[in-house]
Amino acid sequence: MKEEIRIDKYLADMSVGTRSQVKQMIRKGIVTVNGETVKKPEQKVRIQHDRVAVSGRDIAFENEVYLMLYKPAGVVSATKDPREKTVLDLIQDKKRKDLFPAGRLDKDTEGLLLLTNDGKLAHEMLSPKKHVDKVYFALIQGKVTTQDQEAFRQGVDIGEDKLTLPADLNILKSDDVSEIEITIREGKFHQIKRMFEAVNKKVIYLRRISFGPLELDPALHPGEYRKLTEEEIRLIKGETNE
Ligand code: URA
């Protein structure tokens, strides 16, 4: 991130308004830098040092944004889509233009999705080499058995070059519709659905409950989101430094 940027970009990046709205604010004389009224949109500000305010309200610069979203079913994990509603359509306030989902959940999958503009961190958390744990709760059509547990521990054939990595299957209820928790360490397309297909069963509901050290906040409802805490940011950064 550059040390100095134009004041209109600074304010637009902080979602104070669009670039042209911000220029209008500057024209109106309501934007100040270190208490001095800004005259031109091209004026440079030092993002670490200068104090920027609009109508007397301080606008701090945030380089990186990390949001925990409880993805609801029915939205796609993309930044844009010509037909479907995307996870970014759910973000209302202070939406950064460079925000994107770190990884993908299927349209019908719910649960924890990290939205960020930190490309480096997202890349690291998703890297197949890092084996970041992902835990899902699922409802499965049919009785899930200890044989399935063993098969997942060994790795199953989902039509890739290699078997899946060992996954931990915790059977919460084995019945006509079973309840399970599963921990996987990779993130292949439709991975859990394909793993259950490999043992002749069908996933009928899927919710991600953790992603590395992040746990889905029980206070969130589907469609809601919040910023990560400092502690959570520290944990995810630690995870990728190992
Ligand atoms: N596995 C799946 O099958 N779908 C998801 O959305 C995530 C993991």
Side-chain angles (χ1 to χ4, degrees):
M1 173 57 69
K2 278 201 210 136
E3 267 290 285
E4 283 196 348
I5 59 170
R6 288 170 58 127
I7 182 68
D8 57 346
K9 176 163 167 47
Y10 180 110
L11 292 172
D13 281 356
M14 292 307 102
S15 307
V16 169
T18 61
R19 205 72 174 241
S20 58
Q21 286 168 335
V22 161
K23 282 184 178 152
Q24 233 171 346
M25 292 174 194
I26 295 169
R27 245 177 272 132
K28 277 197 202 153
I30 59 172
V31 178
T32 56
V33 172
N34 303 324
E36 301 275 325
T37 304
V38 173
K39 306 233 162 50
K40 291 185 180 149
E42 53 273 22
Q43 180 174 324
K44 291 279 172 61
V45 281
R46 294 166 301 164
I47 56 176
Q48 305 294 349
H49 300 98
D50 291 331
R51 189 159 163 203
V52 176
V54 176
S55 301
R57 185 168 64 94
D58 283 343
I59 310 290
F61 196 85
E62 281 179 341
N63 274 340
E64 280 130 7
V65 180
Y66 304 94
L67 300 177
M68 175 189 293
L69 169 70
Y70 188 157
K71 179 194 171 296
V75 298
V76 295
S77 302
T79 47
K80 267 196 210 120
D81 193 283
R83 283 171 299 276
E84 310 275 5
K85 188 167 173 181
T86 73
V87 287
L88 284 185
D89 293 330
L90 300 167
I91 310 303
Q92 299 303 339
D93 55 328
K94 284 194 99 207
K95 180 154 65 180
R96 294 279 297 250
K97 286 187 287 307
D98 48 1
L99 207 58
F100 63 90
R104 255 194 289 176
L105 293 176
D106 295 339
K107 186 176 168 189
D108 60 351
T109 300
E110 295 187 348
L112 172 52
L113 191 62
L114 173 66
L115 304 181
T116 185
N117 60 345
D118 185 343
K120 183 166 169 285
L121 179 103
H123 178 77
E124 300 257 313
M125 282 194 81
L126 299 169
S127 160
K129 292 196 200 99
K130 293 282 178 178
H131 299 159
V132 170
D133 281 6
K134 284 146 278 222
V135 184
Y136 293 81
F137 168 82
L139 298 178
I140 309 295
Q141 191 75 58
K143 283 198 169 70
V144 176
T145 62
T146 49
Q147 281 92 327
D148 299 329
Q149 217 166 23
E150 184 53 23
F152 285 3
R153 207 180 62 73
Q154 302 275 345
V156 288
D157 182 0
I158 59 168
E160 302 272 334
D161 295 344
K162 291 186 181 156
L163 297 184
T164 53
L165 290 177
D168 302 326
L169 177 60
N170 183 9
I171 305 170
L172 305 173
K173 182 174 152 194
S174 178
D175 213 327
D176 294 343
V177 172
S178 299
E179 293 179 18
I180 61 102
E181 262 181 29
I182 181 168
T183 306
I184 57 171
R185 296 171 181 97
E186 46 194 343
K188 303 245 162 63
F189 187 58
H190 294 332
Q191 172 141 359
I192 294 176
K193 292 173 185 162
R194 288 159 73 199
M195 287 174 75
F196 277 97
E197 272 164 27
V199 294
N200 299 313
K201 297 194 173 82
K202 189 169 162 32
V203 173
I204 50 179
Y205 170 81
L206 190 59
R207 177 170 71 232
R208 182 154 71 184
I209 53 179
S210 77
F211 179 37
L214 295 181
E215 289 186 12
L216 183 60
D217 185 335
L220 291 177
H221 295 103
E224 293 180 345
Y225 60 94
R226 66 157 171 82
K227 280 188 181 175
L228 293 195
T229 62
E230 291 297 321
E231 171 68 1
E232 287 169 330
I233 295 171
R234 204 179 53 70
L235 286 171
I236 54 173
K237 291 195 169 168
E239 174 92 4
T240 57
N241 286 335
E242 274 163 21

